[in-house]
């Protein structure tokens, strides 16, 4: 799915405890959103436990919550839902790369468009 070979991972990858420490440093005390929080939370929990950290040290919320909050600051619930669907359709029409950074950019793009909407 992601196209990362074992050789590339061995050559370019970082140790799990280093990655975990960086994640905790950046995200601890902040709200972290994910498009699939139960799936991503499973892998986040595995990373935290492998690095000797509590598995619930970082929690993920559904990015849909951020979208609703961003859209609702401008309009009522019905129009916000329509706006979210419109923006999501436009962004989801873009090519999918199945890379975490690309997925995050797509989610950020939706949120950004909803936040700037007047």
């Amino acid at each position: 799915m992601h196209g990362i070979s074992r050789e590339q991972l061995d050559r370019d990858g970082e140790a799990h405890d280093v990655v975990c420490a960086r994640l905790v440093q950046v995200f601890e005390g902040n709200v972290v959103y994910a498009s699939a929080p139960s799936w991503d939370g499973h892998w986040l929990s595995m990373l935290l436990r492998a690095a000797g950290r509590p598995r619930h040290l970082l929690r993920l919320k559904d990015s849909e919550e951020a979208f609703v909050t961003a859209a609702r600051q401008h309009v009522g619930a019905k129009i916000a839902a329509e706006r979210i669907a419109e923006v999501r359709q436009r962004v989801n029409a873009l090519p999918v790369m199945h890379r975490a950074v690309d997925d995050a950019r797509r989610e950020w793009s939706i949120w950004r468009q909803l936040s700037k909407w007047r």
Side-chain angles (χ1 to χ4, degrees), residues 27-102:
F27 293 132
E28 193 171 31
N30 294 294
V31 178
V32 182
Y33 293 98
S35 58
S38 61
W39 175 258
D40 295 329
H42 166 74
W43 293 109
L44 176 60
S45 176
M46 289 182 66
L47 175 65
L48 289 165
R49 286 186 308 213
R53 305 287 188 109
R55 71 183 194 99
H56 291 299
L57 182 61
L58 300 174
R59 297 216 181 229
L60 303 176
K61 287 188 161 194
D62 195 319
S63 55
E64 190 68 24
E65 293 179 39
F67 300 159
V68 170
T69 299
R72 293 276 323 262
Q73 69 183 339
H74 305 294
V75 295
K78 182 177 185 228
I79 295 173
E82 291 169 359
R83 176 66 175 160
I84 292 167
E86 172 191 319
V87 171
R88 184 186 309 276
Q89 183 177 18
R90 190 168 53 245
V91 170
N92 287 342
L94 301 172
V96 177
M97 300 298 292
H98 291 294
R99 297 283 189 152
V101 72
D102 293 319

